[in-house]
Amino acid sequence: MNILQASMLNLLPQGLYYYNSHKMSASSRGRKKVKRRYRLGIIVLLLTITSFLLFNSCGIPTYLLLNDNDVDLTSEAKVGTDGYNLTLQITDDAYAEFSDKNTTPSIKLFYAYSISNLPGALQVPESIIALSKVESSFDSLYKNNDNLNVFSFSSSKAPALYLYRKDVDSTTISSSKSIFTYDTDEAIDALVLGTFSSRSHNNDNNNDFIFEGAPEMDFQVELSHFVDSATSGLKEISFEIEYEYSGDYTIIRLITDDDQEIYLGDYQKERFFNSLTNLDNIIEQLNQHDSLTYEKIIEALETSSGNTKPYLHIWAALFGGDGDFNNIVWSDLLYVGEIPLSNL
């Protein structure tokens, strides 16, 4: 709003006050009717001018519209290599919407720890937080939230959301983009959905990991790279996630649709461990990262009977990008698969 617009707005209460604070005498009732019509005309004129100025200053918001069924992801285990072949499908309507709004969508990957390989399981048997809870929480905090939420990160950490059972006598699970203040007098039942850090090469150290945010996210998917699907009305694009064990580490590699290789680290810019003979490295890393949020996972690994394995569960979401629109757009959080962090 500029100075002229503010001045016009300020005229309204002053004008109303001026005319309402002066009473007319009985001898001037005829003139009163004329002046009343005159005042009304002035007020209407001022309102019209003000509305015109505000309208031209702010403009009409333009929205990128993405329906719940516009995006889907299929995941198949790779043959001969550990990992997943992934196919992202969007409807023709969504493709036209992206094109019309002059935007390039992108993909963001997320992960959470568990000792189960099942996507719908509890993170550990002693917890009441199911892994699938992150999907509905992502919807409420990001996808269906009107507060223009992308996700924020510091220079050293990039969590997406936290889940927490605040009351040990309740089954209610709270969600937040920021870490909770935990009640350390009680057993803590919490989960963090992390985002991946990334780098373009594989090193034997934790150097060079960075966080990628809007609009590029982990990688962009050019509209020209989409091809018609075998299913009518859909377009699709393919990418891959591979993993391998190298010494004490699990190397996770993202291969984009244009064959770009991106190596993934955790939400604190470190490599993922693979314990070939024991779980000590993973336990130590979780303790260093966030001993309270990971309390249930750490306890399960520390009391392992020998057959407890930690897993990374991975999700992906399509981000609407940055174009000729004013809103922030996310797809649902779509499940990719799990990666075992131990081959014990």
Side-chain angles (χ1 to χ4, degrees):
M1 181 181 297
N2 57 35
I3 295 175
L4 174 60
Q5 293 166 351
S7 299
M8 299 301 295
L9 287 175
N10 289 333
L11 285 175
L12 290 178
Q14 293 171 353
L16 289 172
Y17 174 80
Y18 175 82
Y19 287 110
N20 285 329
S21 63
H22 290 74
K23 296 182 179 179
M24 307 295 286
S25 67
S27 62
S28 57
R29 290 177 181 174
R31 293 194 302 274
K32 180 179 179 181
K33 293 182 180 179
V34 174
K35 289 186 176 181
R36 184 178 299 163
R37 289 194 295 269
Y38 178 70
R39 290 200 303 271
L40 180 61
I42 290 177
I43 293 173
V44 171
L45 178 61
L46 290 175
L47 287 172
T48 302
I49 294 174
T50 302
S51 299
F52 176 80
L53 292 172
L54 290 173
F55 176 84
N56 283 276
S57 172
C58 302
I60 299 176
T62 302
Y63 296 102
L64 174 67
L65 301 177
L66 196 64
N67 296 319
D68 289 342
N69 61 350
D70 276 340
V71 182
D72 195 15
L73 182 72
T74 58
S75 177
E76 296 182 352
K78 294 175 69 74
V79 177
T81 302
D82 290 327
Y84 298 94
N85 290 318
L86 302 161
T87 301
L88 179 80
Q89 293 182 322
I90 63 174
T91 61
D92 287 348
D93 288 342
Y95 182 90
E97 183 74 357
F98 288 135
S99 179
D100 181 61
K101 296 301 191 297
N102 193 32
T103 185
T104 301
S106 54
I107 291 177
K108 190 68 182 173
L109 299 174
F110 305 83
Y111 75 90
Y113 281 94
S114 173
I115 64 168
S116 172
N117 64 339
L118 301 176
L122 301 175
Q123 60 169 339
V124 298
E126 294 75 20
S127 170
I128 70 164
I129 301 178
L131 292 170
S132 56
K133 178 66 176 175
V134 302
E135 297 171 10
S136 58
S137 296
F138 182 86
D139 282 356
S140 62
L141 292 174
Y142 290 93
K143 178 175 176 286
N144 300 328
N145 194 299
D146 295 328
N147 294 326
L148 300 182
N149 284 312
V150 184
F151 76 92
S152 59
F153 54 87
S154 67
S155 60
S156 59
K157 294 183 181 181
L161 63 87
Y162 291 84
L163 302 178
Y164 178 38
R165 182 188 184 184
K166 292 184 178 180
D167 185 350
V168 295
D169 296 322
S170 171
T171 57
T172 300
I173 301 171
S174 301
S175 62
S176 172
K177 294 191 300 174
S178 303
I179 191 169
F180 290 90
T181 300
Y182 297 122
D183 181 0
T184 55
D185 292 332
E186 302 285 351
I188 297 172
D189 191 2
L191 179 149
V192 57
L193 180 71
T195 66
F196 289 94
S197 53
S198 63
R199 59 187 180 186
S200 60
H201 52 278
N202 181 37
N203 276 348
D204 58 358
N205 54 48
N206 290 321
N207 297 338
D208 303 326
F209 279 118
I210 61 172
F211 297 129
E212 295 286 2
E216 293 85 1
M217 298 302 178
D218 289 325
F219 69 101
Q220 291 184 298
V221 284
E222 299 287 343
L223 292 182
S224 60
H225 292 182
F226 279 89
V227 298
D228 289 332
S229 171
T231 303
S232 177
L234 297 177
K235 287 182 170 50
E236 62 185 34
I237 199 166
S238 299
F239 61 103
E240 305 168 40
I241 292 178
E242 296 181 348
Y243 63 92
E244 61 180 300
Y245 305 120
S246 177
D248 287 335
Y249 295 92
T250 301
I251 309 302
I252 303 176
R253 181 170 57 252
L254 166 67
I255 305 173
T256 68
D257 62 287
D258 57 357
D259 294 327
Q260 178 186 0
E261 293 190 353
I262 301 172
Y263 291 85
L264 302 179
D266 66 22
Y267 84 109
Q268 295 198 30
K269 294 183 177 179
E270 291 187 357
R271 292 172 292 169
F272 293 98
F273 276 106
N274 164 52
S275 297
L276 297 179
T277 58
N278 61 71
L279 300 169
D280 291 346
N281 286 334
I282 295 177
I283 293 171
E284 181 181 359
Q285 186 180 53
L286 295 180
N287 267 309
Q288 290 177 349
H289 282 184
D290 190 342
S291 61
L292 296 180
T293 301
Y294 287 128
E295 182 174 293
K296 291 290 187 185
I297 295 286
I298 293 170
E299 288 177 353
L301 296 178
E302 286 178 336
T303 59
S304 171
S305 59
N307 57 359
T308 300
K309 292 184 179 182
Y311 292 86
L312 279 187
H313 289 264
I314 300 177
W315 291 263
L318 186 70
F319 179 69
D322 183 17
D324 299 333
F325 53 95
N326 305 102
N327 56 325
I328 299 295
V329 177
W330 287 98
S331 73
D332 290 331
L333 197 61
L334 305 168
Y335 188 69
V336 171
E338 82 284 350
I339 293 178
L341 296 181
S342 174
N343 57 1
L344 291 175

